[in-house]
C-alpha cells in the first residue's frame, strides 16, 4: 500500500513539474473544425488591480458591468462594496456599503451586477436569495425576494446569480439550479413566467433512453437518468433589448443552445446553421466552460470561457471571427476568468483569483474586421468590400471574409470573382453554384452556334458508331450460330476474362453461370474494380466540384478504405459464412468476384456523376441523384442474381441469405462501435484525471 501511495505522489509531482498548459496563439476554426492561426483582433493592454487604483486590493470580485460605455461597475463582493471606474480606468467612486435605511446589507454572497439605462443598480445576491435594487449612492430602492406565484412552486429554487432589464422595465433573473430558463418579473417584482429555456439536445443516447423507457417498469424507470435542459450560466442585454444567453457546458461545442440571442418571445434568432460555439477537443483542453457573455453596440458577441481562459468573439449572426486570451500568469491570460464586458473598442475581463481587471484593445486588424462586418451585416456590401480585401491580405485564413466577398461580387455581377472567392471560403456553396450557373449560361449564349454544331456532330457520331457496332454484333452472332442453334462454348471461349464484367452488365444470368461453371473470372479484374471504387471515393471527397461536395468533410485514406474495401470484405465474408450454413455452393473467391463485378454499374455512373458535377449546378442535383439511385439499384440486382447463381438458390432463399448477410454485418459493426466507444471512454477518463490535476496545480 505504501508503494502504491508513493507511486501516486510521484506521478502527481511529475505532472505538477511539467510546464503549464498555455493557450495557443490567436486562432479560429475553419470549416473542418481545424484550428488555424489568425491575426490578433485584440491584444492585452494593461492589468488593473485595487492597489494600483489606490483603493486597496480587490477580494474575489464576482462581476463587472459597463454602463453607457463610460463607467465600469465592479462588484467587489469580498470587500462588500461596489467600485465605479471611468473609461480611463480611474476611480470615480466607491460605494462602500449598500444601505437599506440605517442597515448595511451584506452582499458578500452576490454574484451579479447590472445597471439599468435609468442608472439603477441591480445586485443578484445569490447567498441571500434576493435581488437588490439601489441608486447610484448605494441606497436601496427595492428588494426582490422569492416571487409569490402559483407558477413558482416549492421545487423551484430562487438563487439569483445574474440580472438584467429590457426596454419595458421587465426584470430577467438567471437563478442557480434552474432549468426552466430565466425568471421574468415586472417592475413591481411580480412573477410573470419563465423565459427562453434551453432544450434538451436530441442525441442518439437521448433517443435510445426514451425508447428504452417504454419497455421497463416504473421502478427501473426511476433509476434511469433524466434528461433535463441545461441551465443558463449568464446573460446580457443590448441597447435594442435583445437578450444574449450563454450555457456553461455542452457535450458538443456545436450545440445550438450554448450561445443564443433571444427576441421578446424567448426565441433564438441566431443562425441555425452549423456553428462551433467553443474549443474543439484536442486531447487536453477538451471542454468549454462559459461563465459570461457580452454584446457590444455593433452586435458582436463575446463569450468568456473560464476553463481555458478564452474569449470567443462572434458577429451578430453567430459566426466565429476571433479567439483570444488564455490561462497563465502573463498579461492577457487568466487564472479564473469570471466576467466580461466591452467599453468602446476595448474588452474588459475580470479575474476573481488574480483580483484584477485585464483590458484588451482592438488592433488595426480587429478594427477592419469590426468595421467591415458591421457594414456587411447592415447590407452595405459594396462599402464593406475594401475592408475584406485588406483583411485577407493580412490574414489568408480569414475564410469568412472570402465568403462575404463572394456574395458581394455576385451582387455586383462579377461572377468569376464570386466563384473564386466562394471556393476560397469553403463556406459558400450556394453562391458558388449560382455563379457557376451564370457563367455557364454566358458561355452557352456567347458560343451558341459552336455548341449547336458540336451537338449535331456528336449525335451523328453516336449514330455511326452504333451502326458499326450493330453490324459487328450481327456478324458475330451469325458466326456463333450453327444449324439454328447457338454455340455457347465457342462464343464464350473467345471472350477475354476482363470483358466478363461488362458482359454481365447486360446478361447477368448467362455471365454468372459461365463464371461459375467454367471458371471464367479474374481475381485481378475484380481487385482492379475495387481499386476504381476506392479512387472514386477519394475523388468524390476532394475533387467533385465544390457545390456538390459535402460541406464539412475532412476525410483520411483510412476512412475511405473503411467505407469501401473493409465494408466490402465484411459483406463477402458474412455472406460466405451464412451461406455455408445454408448449403450454398459459392466459394469465397467466387463471392468476392461476384460482388466486385456487381459494383461496376455504380462505379461507372459514379465517374459520370463526377464529370457532370463540373457542368451541372446544385439546383440540378436531382438528376445526378436519379443517376446514382438507378446505378445502385442495378448493382444491387446484379449482386442478388450473382448470389442466386453461385449458391444455386431460388429467389426466396437468395433474399433470405442477403438479409442474414446484412444482419451479420450489423452485428460486427455493433461490436466494433461498442469496443471503440469503450476505448474512447477509457481515454477520456484518464485525460479528465490528467487535465483536472494539471488545472488544480496551476
Amino acid at each position: 500500500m505504501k508503494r502504491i501511495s508513493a507511486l501516486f505522489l510521484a506521478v502527481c509531482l511529475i505532472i505538477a513539474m511539467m510546464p503549464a498548459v498555455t493557450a495557443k496563439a490567436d486562432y479560429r476554426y475553419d470549416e473542418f473544425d481545424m484550428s488555424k492561426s489568425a491575426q490578433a483582433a485584440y491584444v492585452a493592454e494593461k492589468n488593473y488591480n485595487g492597489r494600483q487604483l489606490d483603493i486597496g486590493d480587490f477580494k474575489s470580485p464576482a462581476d463587472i458591468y459597463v454602463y453607457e460605455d463610460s463607467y465600469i461597475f465592479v462588484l467587489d463582493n469580498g470587500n462588500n462594496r461596489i467600485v465605479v471606474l471611468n473609461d480611463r480606468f480611474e476611480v470615480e467612486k466607491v460605494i462602500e456599503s449598500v444601505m437599506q435605511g440605517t442597515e448595511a446589507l451584506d452582499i458578500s454572497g452576490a454574484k451579479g451586477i447590472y445597471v439599468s439605462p435609468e442608472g439603477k443598480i441591480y445586485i443578484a445576491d445569490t447567498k441571500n436569495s434576493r435581488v437588490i435594487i439601489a441608486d447610484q449612492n448605494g441606497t436601496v430602492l427595492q428588494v426582490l425576494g422569492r416571487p409569490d406565484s402559483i407558477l413558482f412552486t416549492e421545487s423551484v429554487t430562487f438563487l439569483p446569480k445574474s440580472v438584467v432589464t429590457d426596454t419595458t422595465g421587465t426584470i430577467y433573473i438567471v437563478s442557480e439550479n434552474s432549468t426552466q430558463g430565466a425568471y421574468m418579473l415586472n417592475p413591481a417584482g411580480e412573477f410573470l413566467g419563465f423565459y427562453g429555456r434551453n432544450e434538451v439536445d436530441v442525441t442518439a443516447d437521448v433517443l435510445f433512453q426514451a425508447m428504452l423507457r417504454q419497455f421497463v417498469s416504473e421502478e427501473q424507470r426511476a433509476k434511469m437518468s433524466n434528461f433535463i435542459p441545461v441551465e443558463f450560466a449568464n446573460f446580457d442585454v443590448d441597447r435594442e433589448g435583445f437578450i444574449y444567453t450563454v450555457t456553461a457546458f455542452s457535450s458538443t461545442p456545436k450545440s445550438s443552445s450554448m450561445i443564443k440571442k433571444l427576441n421578446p418571445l424567448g426565441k433564438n434568432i441566431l443562425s441555425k446553421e452549423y456553428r462551433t460555439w467553443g474549443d474543439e477537443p484536442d486531447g487536453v483542453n477538451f471542454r468549454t466552460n462559459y461563465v459570461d457573455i457580452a454584446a457590444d453596440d455593433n452586435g458582436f458577441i463575446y463569450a468568456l470561457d473560464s476553463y481555458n481562459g478564452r474569449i470567443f468573439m462572434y458577429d451578430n449572426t453567430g459566426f466565429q471571427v476571433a479567439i483570444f486570451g488564455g490561462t497563465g500568469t502573463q498579461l492577457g491570460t487568466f487564472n479564473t476568468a469570471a466576467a466580461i464586458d466591452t467599453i468602446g473598442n476595448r474588452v474588459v475581463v475580470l479575474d476573481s483569483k488574480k483580483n484584477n481587471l485585464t483590458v484588451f484593445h482592438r488592433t488595426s486588424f480587429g478594427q477592419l474586421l469590426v468595421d467591415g462586418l458591421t457594414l456587411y451585416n447592415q447590407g452595405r456590401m459594396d462599402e464593406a468590400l475594401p475592408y475584406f480585401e485588406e483583411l485577407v491580405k493580412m490574414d489568408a485564413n480569414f475564410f469568412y471574409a472570402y465568403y462575404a466577398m463572394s456574395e458581394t461580387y455576385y451582387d455586383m455581377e462579377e461572377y468569376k470573382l464570386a466563384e473564386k472567392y466562394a471556393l476560397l471560403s469553403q463556406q459558400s456553396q450556394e453562391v458558388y453554384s449560382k455563379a457557376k450557373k451564370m457563367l455557364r449560361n454566358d458561355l452557352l449564349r456567347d458560343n451558341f452556334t459552336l455548341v449547336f454544331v458540336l451537338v449535331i456532330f456528336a449525335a451523328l457520331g453516336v449514330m455511326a458508331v452504333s451502326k458499326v457496332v450493330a453490324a459487328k454484333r450481327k456478324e458475330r452472332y451469325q458466326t456463333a450460330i450453327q444449324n439454328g442453334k447457338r454455340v455457347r462454348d465457342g462464343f464464350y471461349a473467345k471472350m477475354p476474362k476482363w470483358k466478363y464484367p461488362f458482359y454481365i452488365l447486360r446478361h447477368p444470368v448467362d455471365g454468372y453461370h459461365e463464371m461459375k461453371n467454367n471458371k471464367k473470372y479474374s481475381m485481378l479484374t475484380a481487385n482492379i474494380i475495387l481499386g476504381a471504387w476506392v479512387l472514386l471515393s477519394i475523388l468524390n471527397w476532394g475533387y467533385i466540384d465544390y457545390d456538390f461536395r459535402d460541406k464539412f468533410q475532412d476525410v483520411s485514406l483510412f476512412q475511405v478504405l473503411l467505407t469501401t474495401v473493409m465494408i466490402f470484405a465484411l459483406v463477402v465474408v458474412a455472406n460466405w459464412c451464412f451461406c455455408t450454413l445454408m448449403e450454398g455452393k459459392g466459394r469465397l473467391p467466387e463471392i468476392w468476384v461476384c460482388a466486385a463485378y456487381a459494383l461496376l454499374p455504380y462505379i461507372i455512373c459514379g465517374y459520370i456523376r463526377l464529370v457532370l458535377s463540373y457542368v451541372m449546378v446544385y439546383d440540378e442535383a436531382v438528376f445526378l441523384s436519379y443517376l446514382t439511385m438507378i446505378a445502385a439499384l442495378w448493382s444491387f440486382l446484379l449482386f442478388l442474381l450473382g448470389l442466386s447463381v453461385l449458391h444455386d438458390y431460388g429467389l426466396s432463399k437468395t433474399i433470405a441469405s442477403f438479409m442474414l448477410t446484412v444482419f451479420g454485418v450489423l452485428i460486427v459493426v455493433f461490436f466494433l462501435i461498442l469496443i471503440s466507444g469503450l476505448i474512447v471512454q477509457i481515454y477520456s477518463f484518464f485525460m479528465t484525471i490528467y487535465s483536472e490535476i494539471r488545472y488544480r496545480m496551476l
Side-chain angles (χ1 to χ4, degrees):
M1 189 68 183
K2 290 182 179 180
R3 290 181 179 179
I4 295 175
S5 300
L7 180 61
F8 178 75
L9 290 173
V11 171
C12 292
L13 182 61
I14 291 171
I15 292 174
M17 294 175 65
M18 291 173 66
V21 178
T22 56
K24 296 177 281 189
D26 291 77
Y27 63 99
R28 71 175 68 86
Y29 288 100
D30 65 7
E31 71 283 2
F32 300 130
D33 290 327
M34 301 295 294
S35 59
K36 299 289 186 180
S37 62
Q39 282 280 357
Y42 284 85
V43 294
E45 179 181 299
K46 191 175 181 180
N47 288 334
Y48 293 91
N49 57 42
R51 191 171 301 177
Q52 289 172 291
L53 298 171
D54 200 26
I55 55 173
D57 288 331
F58 292 124
K59 187 177 179 181
S60 301
D63 198 15
I64 57 174
Y65 185 79
V66 174
Y67 174 64
E68 297 292 336
D69 248 2
S70 300
Y71 299 99
I72 305 164
F73 286 73
V74 182
L75 179 59
D76 188 13
N77 54 351
N79 288 317
N80 209 47
R81 67 182 181 179
I82 299 171
V83 177
V84 184
L85 310 176
N86 60 27
D87 57 359
R88 299 183 300 279
F89 293 89
E90 300 168 342
V91 177
E92 282 289 316
K93 63 180 174 181
V94 178
I95 302 174
E96 295 289 355
S97 57
V98 178
M99 303 296 297
Q100 187 176 29
T102 59
E103 178 188 1
L105 299 184
D106 176 25
I107 60 170
S108 60
K111 292 188 177 180
I113 189 170
Y114 166 77
V115 184
S116 69
E118 300 80 22
K120 294 180 181 179
I121 302 172
Y122 289 72
I123 303 168
D125 189 357
T126 313
K127 179 181 177 182
N128 296 302
S129 300
R130 63 189 178 185
V131 172
I132 301 168
I133 305 175
D135 63 16
Q136 289 287 320
N137 297 315
T139 302
V140 175
L141 303 175
Q142 190 178 1
V143 176
L144 304 177
R146 180 185 177 87
D148 183 15
S149 170
I150 59 173
L151 298 176
F152 212 89
T153 62
E154 290 297 325
S155 62
V156 179
T157 61
F158 187 70
L159 298 170
K161 62 180 179 180
S162 185
V163 57
V164 298
T165 66
D166 64 14
T167 53
T168 66
T170 302
I171 303 167
Y172 301 84
I173 300 170
V174 168
S175 173
E176 290 187 349
N177 304 322
S178 172
T179 61
Q180 301 299 316
Y183 304 150
M184 292 175 58
L185 284 71
N186 64 19
E190 297 171 340
F191 183 64
L192 301 176
F194 296 102
Y195 175 81
R197 63 174 283 179
N198 284 327
E199 300 296 331
V200 175
D201 291 331
V202 179
T203 63
D205 187 33
V206 171
L207 292 175
F208 176 74
Q209 292 288 342
M211 181 183 67
L212 193 61
R213 284 174 180 272
Q214 309 301 317
F215 303 98
V216 299
S217 64
E218 289 290 338
E219 192 174 308
Q220 291 172 318
R221 193 177 295 133
K223 294 178 181 179
M224 295 176 66
S225 300
N226 289 319
F227 295 97
I228 58 176
V230 183
E231 65 181 274
F232 293 145
N234 219 316
F235 59 1
D236 192 23
V237 61
D238 64 16
R239 291 186 176 182
E240 297 177 350
F242 290 108
I243 293 178
Y244 300 79
T245 67
V246 65
T247 299
F249 175 75
S250 175
S251 57
T252 168
K254 302 171 187 65
S255 169
S256 61
S257 64
M258 288 190 76
I259 293 176
K260 297 197 293 188
K261 180 179 180 180
L262 304 178
N263 63 15
L265 296 176
K267 301 297 183 182
N268 183 19
I269 61 173
L270 287 180
S271 174
K272 300 295 183 183
E273 294 180 4
Y274 179 97
R275 291 287 184 266
T276 298
W277 292 120
D279 260 327
E280 280 291 313
D282 63 4
V284 178
N285 297 325
F286 61 94
R287 73 181 187 195
T288 300
N289 182 29
Y290 284 132
V291 293
D292 200 8
I293 189 169
D296 65 18
D297 292 340
N298 293 313
F300 286 87
I301 304 167
Y302 303 80
L304 179 63
D305 169 23
S306 68
Y307 186 80
N308 299 309
R310 283 289 183 182
I311 298 102
F312 294 86
M313 180 181 176
Y314 305 90
D315 72 355
N316 63 4
T317 67
F319 196 94
Q320 187 186 90
V321 294
I323 307 173
F324 55 99
T327 56
T329 57
Q330 66 269 36
L331 178 65
T333 60
F334 313 102
N335 188 319
T336 304
I340 188 171
D341 212 337
T342 65
I343 180 167
N345 61 357
R346 290 173 289 182
V347 173
V348 185
V349 180
L350 176 68
D351 192 318
S352 61
K353 284 289 182 68
K354 289 184 178 180
N355 295 316
N356 66 9
L357 299 170
T358 299
V359 181
F360 294 84
H361 72 265
R362 197 177 294 160
T363 63
S364 57
F365 176 83
Q367 193 62 53
L368 280 172
L369 183 152
V370 169
D371 292 343
L373 287 178
T374 299
L375 291 170
Y376 175 76
N377 290 327
Q378 290 174 353
R380 298 155 64 184
M381 301 166 71
D382 53 340
E383 296 179 47
L385 187 58
Y387 292 91
F388 294 130
E389 290 173 343
E390 288 299 317
L391 284 171
V392 295
K393 289 179 183 177
M394 299 173 70
D395 185 352
N397 289 331
F398 192 31
F399 299 103
Y400 195 33
Y402 294 126
Y403 169 79
M405 292 170 73
S406 69
E407 284 202 327
T408 303
Y409 280 122
Y410 182 82
D411 286 350
M412 296 170 62
E413 298 184 0
E414 296 284 350
Y415 302 122
K416 196 66 179 175
L417 290 173
E419 187 182 53
K420 170 187 173 182
Y421 286 108
L423 185 59
L424 286 172
S425 76
Q426 292 295 301
Q427 295 165 356
S428 187
Q429 290 173 301
E430 183 181 357
V431 175
Y432 179 88
S433 188
K434 291 191 298 183
K436 184 172 78 170
K437 183 177 182 179
M438 298 304 295
L439 289 171
R440 185 188 67 182
N441 293 346
D442 289 345
L443 179 66
L444 291 175
R445 184 172 55 251
D446 295 341
N447 301 277
F448 178 78
T449 303
L450 177 62
V451 171
F452 181 77
V453 171
L454 289 175
V455 169
I456 295 297
F457 273 103
L460 293 175
V462 169
M463 292 172 61
V465 170
S466 299
K467 188 174 182 180
V468 171
V469 169
K472 288 187 176 181
R473 182 182 299 170
K474 183 177 180 180
E475 181 183 352
R476 185 173 69 246
Y477 276 92
Q478 287 176 345
T479 304
I481 294 175
Q482 295 178 355
N483 300 322
K485 189 174 182 181
R486 184 172 173 181
V487 182
R488 298 175 59 89
D489 292 340
F491 178 76
Y492 284 111
K494 295 179 181 179
M495 182 181 292
K497 288 183 178 180
W498 65 267
K499 282 188 177 183
Y500 267 83
F502 300 97
Y503 180 76
I504 286 172
L505 293 181
R506 296 177 292 116
H507 306 286
V509 176
D510 288 347
Y512 281 127
H513 269 295
E514 188 67 17
M515 188 183 85
K516 172 69 176 176
N517 298 328
N518 295 322
K519 310 300 181 186
K520 300 291 288 189
Y521 62 85
S522 168
M523 185 65 73
L524 176 61
T525 303
N527 290 332
I528 290 174
I529 292 173
L530 283 180
W533 187 24
V534 172
L535 179 60
L536 176 63
S537 298
I538 294 172
L539 294 175
N540 276 331
W541 281 113
Y543 295 94
I544 196 168
D545 204 12
Y546 173 58
D547 48 343
F548 290 94
R549 203 176 303 166
D550 188 358
K551 189 173 183 181
F552 302 106
Q553 61 189 358
D554 184 21
V555 68
S556 64
L557 180 60
F558 173 76
Q559 290 172 292
V560 171
L561 293 175
L562 182 65
T563 55
T564 53
V565 177
M566 293 183 186
I567 293 295
F568 178 87
L570 191 58
V571 169
V572 170
V573 172
N575 182 265
W576 175 71
C577 291
F578 281 106
C579 289
T580 300
L581 299 175
M582 298 172 63
E583 300 179 348
K585 297 180 180 179
R587 299 184 301 113
L588 184 61
E590 293 173 343
I591 301 171
W592 181 280
V593 173
C594 167
Y597 285 5
L599 282 172
L600 199 56
Y602 181 79
I603 294 170
I604 293 172
C605 291
Y607 281 102
I608 294 173
R609 175 179 178 269
L610 184 69
V611 173
L612 289 179
S613 71
Y614 287 88
V615 178
M616 305 180 76
V617 296
Y618 189 74
D619 290 343
E620 300 156 354
V622 63
F623 299 108
L624 298 185
S625 299
Y626 288 147
L627 177 66
T628 303
M629 286 189 293
I630 291 171
L633 180 60
W634 192 356
S635 290
F636 175 70
L637 292 176
L638 287 178
F639 184 54
L640 285 185
L641 288 171
L643 293 181
S644 176
V645 172
L646 292 179
H647 295 302
D648 198 14
Y649 286 163
L651 178 61
S652 59
K653 201 169 183 179
T654 301
I655 294 175
S657 68
F658 178 78
M659 297 301 293
L660 285 173
T661 300
V662 173
F663 178 69
V665 170
L666 291 177
I667 290 176
V668 174
V669 171
F670 172 76
F671 278 108
L672 289 175
I673 292 174
L674 198 65
I675 293 170
S676 63
L678 182 61
I679 293 172
V680 169
Q681 287 184 0
I682 293 172
Y683 173 78
S684 299
F685 172 73
F686 283 108
M687 290 308 303
T688 300
I689 295 175
Y690 170 78
S691 183
E692 289 296 337
I693 292 174
R694 294 290 301 276
Y695 179 73
R696 298 296 180 186
M697 292 185 175
L698 286 177

